[in-house]
Amino acid sequence: MNCSRSITVNALPKQSAANILKSLNGQTTLISARPGFIGLHQHYGHSRRAFSTTRPTLMREFMPAPETNKIKQTEAMWQHPIYTYEQMEAVRIAHRDVRSWSDRVALIVLTIMRWGMDFCTGYRHDKAVALAKKDPKAAVQKSTMNERKWMIRFIFLEAMAAVPGMVAGMLRHFHSVRRMKRDNGWIETLLEESYNERMHLLTFLKMAEPGWFMRLMVLGGQGVFFNAFVACYLVSPRTCHRFVGYLEEEAVLTYTRVIEDIDAGKLPEFEKWMAPDIAVGYWNMPEGNRTMRDLLLYIRADESKHREVNHTLGNLDQKGEPLYTTSAINPNANCPTDDPNPYTSRFKDEDKPHPVKDIKYQRPTGWEREESI
């Protein structure tokens, strides 16, 4: 079954080609760039894909939905919690201070990775942010981030961010089966986090089609990151969760800056874009609030939640310390286990602020163990 459509523009007269493109995609703007990397396509109308790395002469639907005789729609396995706009606007940039050698190692590794990701995605924004209050005009000139560069960064960031949750969930799953012991709710949260990050990536892929260079960057980056994270999680899960907490701090910073750029009028194309259907369904985005800015608010809120969750998990016991006794067998025998995951637990006092799945109670630097356990 071929679900894509293509039109070779060079085979048609210029006037006919232009009419066909307008009828299929509405008004179209093409800006070419380095071969194999990216070309900008702005669409209005039926297609919502914002830019593509396919050749300008070939228009096709990227990542089409599968067509079957029986299935109408495939629902998301994990239903996303409902966020209010007040909660999403309340998300703020935050940083957890280093309190141990484990935290320091995690922050150093994150700093190195941040530099590498900035280099690969062409991210240059710090100077513009520093000048914003002193000289707004100079800040606009210093900012080299446009819509294309932001989308490159989003895709690369989300492709990497989907790794840690899956690795941690996988290793804890095998550990639970191998040791024949409970996991106390950690696996579910970790796998859902990975699923959520993948939904971010799929959303951006509905708006931008990566070219061969981007695919190679993701392939190489994910291959190295996956294997390194597996090894590190086997050695020190606490350090890995702290690392992910710091990584999500950077993600919140990234999305906050792009939202500020949209509000400042620096990204006029983003002001025209609408969230794709996959995002509307996943986040239950209300009618009238489905712009690119609205979409970024939802994604930033998710990253803020991942930041809080991983900092919290990094504060909990992961060494198998005895938490309860099997008195029915031997009153003096301890059964080693991890702290229970507070994000999948019911609390005795639900009215008191505590870790929750949504962003009702926000704690950017994580909940301390005595607060959640």
Side-chain angles (χ1 to χ4, degrees), residues 195-269:
Y195 178 88
N196 177 257
E197 298 287 9
R198 189 177 67 88
M199 289 301 295
H200 294 176
L201 177 62
L202 293 179
T203 296
F204 288 128
L205 289 177
K206 280 292 186 179
M207 308 171 76
E209 180 179 353
W212 64 268
F213 186 76
M214 171 62 73
R215 293 177 185 273
L216 285 178
M217 283 204 308
V218 171
L219 181 63
Q222 191 177 93
V224 173
F225 188 33
F226 173 84
N227 289 284
F229 202 83
V230 168
C232 292
Y233 203 87
L234 290 173
V235 174
S236 178
R238 185 187 305 277
T239 303
C240 289
H241 285 297
R242 188 71 69 215
F243 165 81
V244 178
Y246 288 139
L247 175 66
E248 300 297 354
E249 289 180 0
E250 296 297 327
V252 173
L253 176 62
T254 292
Y255 288 114
T256 298
R257 286 180 173 176
V258 69
I259 291 171
E260 290 175 347
D261 279 1
I262 293 175
D263 293 340
K266 297 179 181 179
L267 302 171
E269 296 301 324

Side-chain angles (χ1 to χ4, degrees), residues 291-351:
T291 65
M292 183 65 173
R293 186 184 187 278
D294 296 322
L295 173 63
L296 294 174
L297 282 176
Y298 279 97
I299 294 178
R300 184 182 67 168
D302 286 344
E303 306 294 8
S304 175
K305 194 63 191 179
H306 300 328
R307 170 183 64 182
E308 175 195 311
V309 168
N310 280 277
H311 277 318
T312 301
L313 296 182
N315 294 336
L316 302 183
D317 170 62
Q318 300 169 60
K319 298 180 180 179
E321 294 178 357
L323 291 183
Y324 62 90
T325 59
T326 53
S327 56
I329 301 175
N330 184 352
N332 298 319
N334 288 326
C335 181
T337 184
D338 297 325
D339 279 340
N341 175 13
Y343 292 97
T344 56
S345 303
R346 286 190 300 172
F347 283 74
K348 297 178 180 178
D349 187 359
E350 292 290 342
D351 296 329

Side-chain angles (χ1 to χ4, degrees), residues 183-201:
D183 183 73
N184 292 319
W186 287 57
I187 295 174
E188 291 85 345
T189 293
L190 294 169
L191 294 183
E192 184 174 4
E193 175 184 310
S194 180
Y195 178 88
N196 177 257
E197 298 287 9
R198 189 177 67 88
M199 289 301 295
H200 294 176
L201 177 62

Side-chain angles (χ1 to χ4, degrees), residues 93-164:
I93 297 172
H95 173 65
R96 181 184 173 90
D97 295 332
V98 172
R99 304 181 186 180
S100 65
W101 69 267
S102 176
D103 294 356
R104 187 169 301 280
V105 170
L107 186 58
I108 291 174
V109 174
L110 184 277
T111 302
I112 296 173
M113 283 192 61
R114 167 67 192 266
W115 178 87
M117 188 168 64
D118 289 351
F119 178 78
C120 292
T121 60
Y123 183 77
R124 299 290 184 274
H125 201 260
D126 292 333
K127 292 182 179 179
V129 173
L131 286 172
K133 294 183 179 180
K134 298 179 181 178
D135 191 344
K137 293 183 179 180
V140 175
Q141 296 174 355
K142 289 288 184 181
S143 178
T144 61
M145 296 300 293
N146 54 29
E147 291 85 354
R148 180 178 67 88
K149 289 185 177 181
W150 276 120
M151 292 301 295
I152 292 171
R153 184 170 181 82
F154 295 159
I155 291 175
F156 192 75
L157 173 64
E158 299 301 343
M160 297 300 106
V163 172

Side-chain angles (χ1 to χ4, degrees), residues 66 68 70-74:
T68 64
K70 303 295 184 181
I71 298 176
K72 179 180 179 181
Q73 184 178 2
T74 303

